Each structure stands twice: as C-alpha cells, then as structure tokens.
Amino acid sequence: MLRYSSRRGQCAAAALCDAIQHEVVAGQVRRCGSRHGRRYGGHAAQAAVDAVRTLAVRVGIPQRLSSLGVREEDLPRLAASALADVCTPGNPRDTSAEEILALYREAF
C-alpha cells in the first residue's frame, strides 16, 4: 500500500477541479453552475469549474497532486486503489481504473 503524508481530503481537493472539468468534457455536468451561466455566456458548467478553482486557490488548496508529493510512477497503483475503495460503488456513475488514471494524470 502506498502512503503519503498528505491527508486523503487534501488529495481529493487537489484533484477536485480536474474531476469537475473531466465531467464537463464527458457531458455529465448539466445544470451545475446555472446561477452563473449568463455571466459566462451560457457556459454554466464551466462557470462551476471556474468558481470552484477560484475558491480552492483562495483558501490555499494545492492545485496539483505533484505539489502534495505524489509521484507520477505511483498513479497507476493509486488509480487501482481508488477503484477498489469501498466508496466507489456510491459514485453517481460507473468508472474504470483507466478513467481514474486519466483523471489523476490531469491532476498531477
């Protein structure tokens, strides 16, 4: 098992904006950010990503997994571990180790 000194929440927060962006690209985010949609020319989902990223930066959340000491060569094992996590079945849609790895690479 891989161990890092960063807490799970820190790592999840560092990948949050990339995860939301991933869902935007995948077409999964629909009404998210609609309150800000007009200001962003109707791109409500992107407005949500931008708002979360702005808040994350403002409160000091690291924006890259690498800034938390995660090593690139560990990403495949971390993706496999995430897929095997007891919380994964509670996700709103199915995923795969390959999709998680792609997300981790984006967040790296």
Side-chain angles (χ1 to χ4, degrees):
M1 178 173 214
L2 298 173
R3 296 274 185 211
Y4 287 98
S5 62
S6 298
R7 292 191 169 96
R8 181 180 181 155
Q10 287 177 311
C11 291
L16 179 62
C17 293
D18 291 297
I20 297 170
Q21 183 68 51
H22 181 79
E23 292 301 302
V24 169
V25 171
Q28 300 297 321
V29 176
R30 289 182 175 70
R31 294 178 2 176
C32 191
S34 62
R35 291 181 60 196
H36 304 289
R38 269 188 246 150
R39 185 168 44 140
Y40 286 87
H43 301 288
Q46 187 60 50
V49 174
D50 295 343
V52 170
R53 189 172 306 279
T54 298
L55 176 61
V57 168
R58 189 171 65 210
V59 299
I61 295 173
Q63 296 300 293
R64 309 273 29 109
L65 292 175
S66 57
S67 67
L68 292 169
V70 174
R71 298 181 318 213
E72 189 171 14
E73 62 266 20
D74 291 339
L75 295 179
R77 287 178 53 198
L78 292 170
S81 178
L83 187 64
D85 189 277
V86 69
C87 296
T88 300
N91 285 342
R93 67 177 182 83
D94 291 335
T95 191
S96 66
E98 293 79 19
E99 186 176 34
I100 295 169
L101 179 57
L103 172 61
Y104 284 176
R105 285 191 170 131
E106 290 173 31
F108 184 74

